[in-house]
Amino acid sequence: MPSTTPGASLAAASAQTLAPLYIRIHDHDNVAIVANDGGLPAGTSFPDGLTLVEHVPQGHKVALKDLAEGEAVIRYNVVIGYAAKPLPRGSWVNERVTTMPAPPGLDDLPIATVLAPDLGPLEGYTFEGYRNVDGTVGTRNILAITSTVQCVSGVVDHAVRRIKAELLPKYPHVDDVVSLEHTYGCGVAIDAPDAVIPIRTLSNISLNPNFGGTAMVVSLGCEKLQPERLLPAGVIPIADERGLPDLVTLQDEENVGFESMIDAIMRTAEKHLIKLDARRRVSCPVSDLAVGVQCGGSDAFSGVTANPAVGFAADLIVRAGGTVIFSENTEVRDGIGQLTARAATPEVAQALIREMDWYDRYLQRGSADRSANTTPGNKKGGLSNIVEKAMGSIVKSGSQPIAGVLSPGEKLTRKGLIFGATPASDFICGTLQLAAGVNLHVFTTGRGTPYGLAEVPVIKVATRNDLARRWFDLMDVNAGRIATGEATIADVGWELFHTMLDVASGRKKSCAEALGLQNSLALFNPTPVT
């Protein structure tokens, strides 16, 4: 199994010399990736004598030895595939000339066998946040307007525009007003066994620390997901005379016409804005951070630069007593043995196995398998298959023990390194991490994506220098310097850690936040629609 913080051996000193450069993760690997921008042409020779027999694009694999048909292709010291035909030394190794290994079974896995490195506690670091009554801390002070059904989203969007234009300027200590729009609530099998997943997701998003326990609710009135089911009485402190969260129901008789509905929403919103505006940032320990980590638009550099740097920063957060959530079921499935071995207890290991088994069966019901995960962009960036992608994805989790496991839509109940079981879809994973209670989000990308969330700041980490250069105003941290030897994993990890503290404190906005880039919430609903 590969290390969770892999190093890279460079075949040349620096890309600044324009010398041919490849990166090999482990001494046992029989392939390496080409690091030079634009790739390298046939005939290129490296200092160790390796010569390319064909053009190899940047990030793509080159055979370091002759590979016979059927021979294992090894990267990260893991078999990521098999040669589908003889591949001479110097060949381009990609998904067209390899086959995938079978998925690992869920039996006879190592259970809590790995003793994590004792890195010691990390002390002396703080950030400025908004402390909530329930003990959580927000990194932003946001009024959230949640809804019970998609039917009301147009009305709520109109009201949010009015609130931002007419009310928000009066309350300078409130950062934003956000509509928690979704596509659930009606036309669904509301009592199906797995309906609990979208319902608890919506409920727990409304309780995200960045909303200060003051989310308000807009209902249509006739939907299946009634307000009492979404947010039971007493869950949110500000309540109406019935003990429910402040509620505007559009079908109520007192709402006569569209403007009446908007006025009702704005009156309710102002009550919440008054309370939120009274809040002030206070000094908080790093133990109050809950950071979701995710990757999207991944490439072969993700597991070499950005994800290891995130893993280093994740270790810093955990050492300081904070929480890090990593996710994406299909992007860890092929490394499940690594995760169960790192489980803090046998019970945590069994929870990991339970979630992987549930998701395997979920994919089978849809006549899909894990191979459907890898996108055309992943392959263009050098990732041949989901096995290779998974090995690079797992390193975001760092090296510390996995302290707990969340099923989809569940809320954090403990600190440390947590696996949140989610689909790998960027939007669904982000939505479920919001429900878990993250107050900060870190997102790595190699191909590039303008992904952002309205509910929490999203810090973007580029895997390559070229992406950081081209998307200079979309990327917050450039981890590509690791590939060229300009920086170490630790250098970029510490840079990311300090960036997280600055963004969490409101001293700095992430690029996505400053530009107002906000993806829609995307619920995971594995139940029938009627």
Side-chain angles (χ1 to χ4, degrees), residues 97-121:
V97 296
T98 57
T99 60
M100 275 182 60
L106 295 176
D107 299 320
D108 300 321
L109 293 170
I111 303 295
T113 55
V114 171
L115 184 63
D118 183 7
L119 302 177

Side-chain angles (χ1 to χ4, degrees), residues 170 198 226 233 269 307 342 382 388 454:
K170 296 162 53 179
Q226 288 290 298
N307 288 349
R342 285 175 56 201
E388 183 178 11

